[in-house]
Amino acid sequence: MEEKMKFLGSRNSQFNLYHDLMRVKVHDILLISSPYDAWVMEEDSRISERIVSEYRGLNLSSPPRLSWVSTIEEALELLDVMVFDMVILMPHLTDMNCCRMARMIKDRIPGLPVVMLVHRQLADSDADFSEGTERQFVWSGDAELLVAMVKNMEDLLNVEHDTSEVGIRVIIVVEDSPRYLASFLPILYKELVRQTQALMEEGLNAEHRLLTMRARPKILTARTYEEAMGLFEKYEPYILGVISDVRFPRRGKPDGNAGIDLLKNLKAHREDIPLLLASNEPENRERAESIPSCFVDKNSPDMMSAVRRFVLEQLGFGDFVVRDLEDREIARAGSLYSLERILRDMPERIFIRHCRRNDFSRWFYARTEIALANRIRPLREKDFPDWETHRTHLIGMIRERRMQRQQGVIVSFNPKDFDPDTDFLKIGSGSLGGKARGMAFICSMLNRNPWLHEKYPDIRISAPRTLTIGTSGFDDFMEMNDLSYLATSEVADKRVAEIFSEAFFPGWIETQLRSYLHEVGYPLAVRSSSLLEDAQYQAYAGLYSTYMIPNDHPDIEQRLEQLVSAVKLVWASTCYNAPKSFSRRVNQRTDEEKMGVIIQEIVGERYGDYYFPAISGVGQSYNYYPFGKMKPEQGVATVALGIGKSVVDGEQCIRFSPRYPKILPQCPTLADSLKNAQTLFYGLRMRGAEREDIHGNANLERLNIADFEDSAPVRLLASTYIPEEGRIRDTAHVEGPKLILFAPVLKHKTVPLASVLGDILLLAEKGMGGPVEIEFAVNMYEDGRQPAFSLLQLRPMSARADLDRVNIGAEDLKKAVCVSTHALGNAEKTDIEDILIVRPDSFDAAGTRRMALEISAINRELVGRKRKYLLVGPGRWGSADPWLGIPVEWQDISGVSAIVETSTEGFKMEPSQGSHFFHNITTLGINYLMVLDKPGNYIDWDWFAVQPAVQHGEFVTHLQLSAPLLLKVDGRSSQAVVLPPES
């Protein structure tokens, strides 16, 4: 249970405080009025409809329901059987006045708010007529008034809790006239809600938007001088601003100076509170200036604009406007990021003036950045040795909050003012796609588990900055260019790429990508994120395209052209043959596939003309090929120096278990270490002003480690072979040939890679509910900077659920023509009558590409006839390196039922569990048998040699049996046998 809670972590800390806000809501309203008034409100004004419409227009949640009765007797009966949150009384009832009705309701339901809605301004002589009601308003038929009445009542019911618990701000409105209050309050609420929506956490998800809306300032109304002072004294620390009439009661009598005296008194207590004097007498403007206070004429047609200016400029809801000492605007900021940038160059006297007026904290309060504002507001000049230190401290606080608030959140991209440090941005609507969903989950997982960062304070654990294009972009592109036919047509991949490259690109996406590139200058990986990619049971891993672009051309239009081309080609890969073959295998319609796109920061550093990380790798929480004392559930990792193409393509890499990082299965002896150590790696060529070609892997170059011995990654990771001593030393700081065995990290723990991997794999497995696979990269530095571990991708491995028991007995082992002690899957298959075998006597590592072509041709024929087959041959199947194995791609073997990997003299490879090829075969339930050169492994070549052949190629023989083989794979023991037909 404790581990489960550790995974779940706390809710996003930056939003915790919002969850308990606005706990009391008005859901049901009882309206007591004459039948005529009710009819006018419902039929003529369509009030219920308009309330719902008004709420939706303002993106407010849960519009209240209205119930109507015409007599107090009906009202009391209904109050006995239903729960109401608020009662609205409308006079003109014949049986009694509102005062008596209000008292009867409150006697029946103590504390139930009662509001009076009248058709005309009440005279002073009618004061007792409204006694017993919380508020009085003059009804003009506008649904906005009802919304304001409901919101104002909710504010009154929640203000005590929300201010004391969170520090929500309060705006006091002093007005004794129901008519002016009825016209003024809707304007203020509408503006407040709209500005809160415009300013709240830019582009966060729906939950966070709703929670942040709860943090808008409360509006409290007062009718007398004493009420206003009482509210001020009670909520003084939380007051954001005060709006006051000029004439209202003081000591029980109307006072023409009450408003002026009130604002002067407040100004004396708190000089920094914005004030607005509202009067229907224009001559009061001069009196307002003497306070000083802003002024609005209640009778002016410009009243709404004046209120809006006050809300924007004085209460801090608009941009943060930087003004010089003559009050002229010199800069403005619309976000935390832009304010941070402006602060770096803000002159001393202007900075100090903004601090003294509490402009910074007020602006943050208005933006619902309450915790940050609470930290900034108490700061004074005397707290710092000089103003520069003060400014640096403020910048640091803003940056800390800026980085914190977007962790684990998908943020909608705003081209006008986006924060380039945001972890996860999204353009467009629709699905993120499978790969992007995994990335978003990574961000959320890292944010919800702060213990991980606390456990490893010396290494930064994060995800690379990511921008995604939702599937709506793909839909628009396909529709405007009429390309849907390609999903079901047999068109060569090269021609598909040409068609997509020549097609029109949606302008709305291009505009946003240009804005993105204005702020982003690091290398980018443009990756696929289809709906089915990295799905739980049918993951299309590695079947779509990824393009890497240096993004360092001095001309932004050139960089944009490269990025747009890469996005088009990623979209094009949905119509390539490999994913189509895969779709047919899993009975998925190819025209249902949609493609999101990930534009991701490439993790690495620049070394000369190349860019690459120190370490890239793949980790799996379940090890299908445990070695020695390793256990399957302890996981496995495959790592390489440089960009991860070496790993995912199954090239020469180093494998280890995070539990036993010192044990390297492929390096048991000195000779094996020399043979299997990494000597080549991939780096991204930085081309500067050169025109870049993004097709294929044009920007990736295969580099020799010997040429980079002076680079930090090699110095920090390499070992040195000392021929005269006949040993390998675990350092790069001695003379001799360098080998990449990762000894400084795996044996001497200069970076806690194994431990971090173990924890993250366990965490991700709990989060995904089953075995997982991650891709990661590590940057290491020699200048004192923290090493950085970046999670690049997360996907589920094929589910191993509760396996049906498959028994392999002694008799099976005796009869078998093939036995493996390292087999993948759990199955008993009787549908294989065809065998494609790469003959050991004809095998030549130089001919592996030709072997792949032969296999592909036979595969097409067997798929057309719907015949499954067994594939047998040496080396690492699916490797991109033809010298390590046969480089088949998925469409070359799409009809295979099981694969047997054999070894020949001089061609013995460790399994490459990190490859996309491996991931796809495990997902589809294709069994994979390794026949190792070890006891318990066996293949009867003589039996295969005498089976009937229907095709005999240069390297590959197609055998066709008269009856099916029996393949048995025991997933619990990883043992497998191939039994010949009974006949």
Side-chain angles (χ1 to χ4, degrees), residues 403-415:
M403 301 302 290
Q404 177 201 48
R405 70 177 187 154
Q406 43 79 12
Q407 290 175 350
V409 180
I410 300 171
V411 180
S412 298
F413 182 79
N414 177 3

Side-chain angles (χ1 to χ4, degrees), residues 514-531:
R514 182 181 286 104
S515 299
Y516 177 72
L517 292 179
H518 269 295
E519 295 288 340
V520 169
Y522 42 75
L524 298 170
V526 184
R527 313 176 72 186
S528 59
S529 182
S530 79
L531 290 181

Side-chain angles (χ1 to χ4, degrees), residues 329-376:
E329 180 180 328
I330 57 176
R332 64 172 54 221
S335 66
L336 270 66
Y337 174 67
S338 54
L339 178 59
E340 184 184 321
R341 292 176 63 179
I342 288 172
L343 273 170
R344 296 191 187 112
D345 301 316
M346 188 177 289
E348 176 183 357
R349 294 174 67 187
I350 294 175
F351 174 76
I352 291 173
R353 186 174 68 161
H354 281 302
C355 290
R356 287 175 178 172
R357 297 194 311 198
N358 283 330
D359 289 340
F360 294 116
S361 61
R362 185 182 306 110
W363 192 68
F364 290 128
Y365 279 128
R367 303 180 78 81
T368 71
E369 290 289 354
I370 295 164
L372 177 60
N374 286 340
R375 293 172 62 198
I376 291 174

Side-chain angles (χ1 to χ4, degrees), residues 862-882:
L862 291 174
V863 167
R865 294 163 57 194
K866 297 183 178 180
R867 293 177 68 95
K868 301 290 185 183
Y869 60 89
L870 178 71
L871 181 61
V872 183
R876 193 176 285 170
W877 285 101
S879 172
D881 186 346

Side-chain angles (χ1 to χ4, degrees), residues 196-231:
T196 303
Q197 288 170 340
L199 299 176
M200 64 186 167
E201 306 280 347
E202 293 88 356
L204 301 185
N205 64 31
E207 179 199 10
H208 296 152
R209 282 196 288 270
L210 180 60
L211 293 176
T212 310
M213 179 59 75
R214 295 181 186 176
R216 64 159 178 78
K218 303 279 188 283
I219 299 176
L220 301 183
T221 59
R223 289 175 287 193
T224 69
Y225 184 93
E226 290 75 19
E227 281 183 26
M229 284 304 299
L231 290 175

Side-chain angles (χ1 to χ4, degrees), residues 699-732:
N699 293 318
L700 280 185
E701 293 190 17
R702 207 173 187 199
L703 308 170
N704 197 309
I705 286 170
D707 297 329
F708 286 82
E709 289 187 3
D710 291 331
S711 68
V714 175
R715 286 199 297 265
L716 293 168
L717 294 171
S719 300
T720 306
Y721 174 52
I722 313 295
E724 53 271 24
E725 298 178 7
R727 69 187 180 114
I728 296 171
R729 296 184 60 184
D730 298 337
T731 177

Side-chain angles (χ1 to χ4, degrees), residues 428-534:
S429 57
S431 173
L432 296 172
K435 194 178 292 181
R437 280 195 299 267
M439 281 301 306
F441 183 72
I442 285 172
C443 294
S444 176
M445 181 181 73
L446 294 178
N447 184 51
R448 288 174 177 267
N449 291 275
W451 65 267
L452 188 67
H453 307 282
E454 293 163 6
K455 183 176 179 179
Y456 301 104
D458 297 328
I459 183 169
R460 186 165 57 87
I461 303 172
S462 62
R465 288 167 287 188
T466 300
L467 170 70
T468 64
I469 302 174
T471 54
S472 65
F474 176 77
D475 291 340
D476 281 3
F477 177 81
M478 296 294 284
E479 185 176 340
M480 69 171 52
N481 293 287
D482 196 20
L483 298 178
S484 57
Y485 72 94
L486 290 171
T488 53
S489 304
E490 293 299 325
V491 181
D493 291 353
K494 184 177 180 181
R495 180 56 188 151
V496 171
E498 291 172 354
I499 293 171
F500 272 70
S501 296
E502 293 165 2
F504 181 78
F505 192 75
W508 63 271
I509 303 178
E510 186 172 349
T511 299
Q512 297 191 66
L513 292 182
R514 182 181 286 104
S515 299
Y516 177 72
L517 292 179
H518 269 295
E519 295 288 340
V520 169
Y522 42 75
L524 298 170
V526 184
R527 313 176 72 186
S528 59
S529 182
S530 79
L531 290 181
L532 297 174
E533 198 164 11
D534 297 348

